[in-house]
Amino acid sequence: MRPGRRWRCSRAGRTAGSPPTVRPARTASRLALHLDSDGDARTRHGSGVLRPGPPRREVTDVYRYDPRDPVPTAGGATCMTGMLVGADCGPLDQRAVEDRPDVLCYTGPRLDAPLVVSGQVVAELYVSSSAPDTDVTAKLVDVHPDGRAEILCDGIVRTGHRARLDGVRPPLPDTVHTLRVEAGTVVHVFRPGHRVRLEVSSSNFPRFDPNPNTGGTPLTLADAPVATAVNRVHHGPGRPSRLLLPVRPGPPDAHDAA
């Protein structure tokens, strides 16, 4: 065939040599799952749940964060130097982490149909702390029917640093304020029988340096005073703490992975 000539051969409604049909990316909608509990969401055995609507009563979950005993990193989007490369990253089981009393767990009901999550995962939380500065972490987890809890994505916010970036004064101790924790981007299908879980805590070490809870830098954690913080997550009609999931109909495709 001479250069510049196009050949045509109809197959499945498409002409060979013609440009491929480009489908527009499907628009994701935001699924809001609201945090609720009986007042003790500590550990995976606690009363923390995720609901489609705001709870009817105001409740507070409390945990103590000690920077000398931080929550250990267990998998995720990291490959840390000095650890077993390939064994310390990815969708590892979080059950040992979720048995700690400084980890709040909010779990949804078993799914009847696949749930496709594709995009930025965000936790909008109403929080307070006894410390002048602390961290808040959020982790999205896929709970399998056998109980295995696989990490999908996670994020962290330093309250004082976040306030300075926003151009406002850091929140005073024991003052309730809203905090947006971006937990990362994920493309994942929660299968029927699985459950959505959100973990909330204040550390993830060694991936992130522990916050000393004093307003000082973590770089001086070894030789500077540190404090144990009493941190609280508030939820209810007036303080609708929630997990925001970008969901799409049907299975994920190439547009979702892009």
Side-chain angles (χ1 to χ4, degrees), residues 25-44:
R26 293 171 296 178
T27 302
S29 59
R30 285 285 182 181
L31 172 63
L33 299 175
H34 293 256
L35 280 59
D36 194 11
S37 75
D38 291 334
D40 190 0
R42 294 176 299 173
T43 82
R44 61 192 172 99

Side-chain angles (χ1 to χ4, degrees), residues 151-191:
I151 176 177
L152 299 179
C153 58
D154 64 329
I156 187 170
V157 168
R158 182 146 296 171
T159 57
H161 182 63
R162 180 70 266 170
R164 288 187 287 272
L165 289 178
D166 292 340
V168 298
R169 295 176 61 88
L172 296 174
D174 297 317
T175 301
V176 180
H177 58 100
T178 58
L179 199 63
R180 175 185 172 93
V181 184
E182 296 181 354
T185 300
V186 69
V187 178
H188 182 74
V189 179
F190 288 88
R191 300 188 180 280

Side-chain angles (χ1 to χ4, degrees), residues 55-79:
R56 297 181 179 179
R57 56 176 181 162
E58 299 288 344
V59 179
T60 300
D61 291 311
V62 185
Y63 64 96
R64 298 173 66 86
Y65 158 52
D66 184 351
R68 291 157 293 200
D69 181 27
V71 175
T73 299
T78 183
C79 192

Side-chain angles (χ1 to χ4, degrees), residues 64-68 130-131 212-213 226-230:
R64 298 173 66 86
Y65 158 52
D66 184 351
R68 291 157 293 200
S130 63
N213 294 326
V226 298
T228 297
V230 178

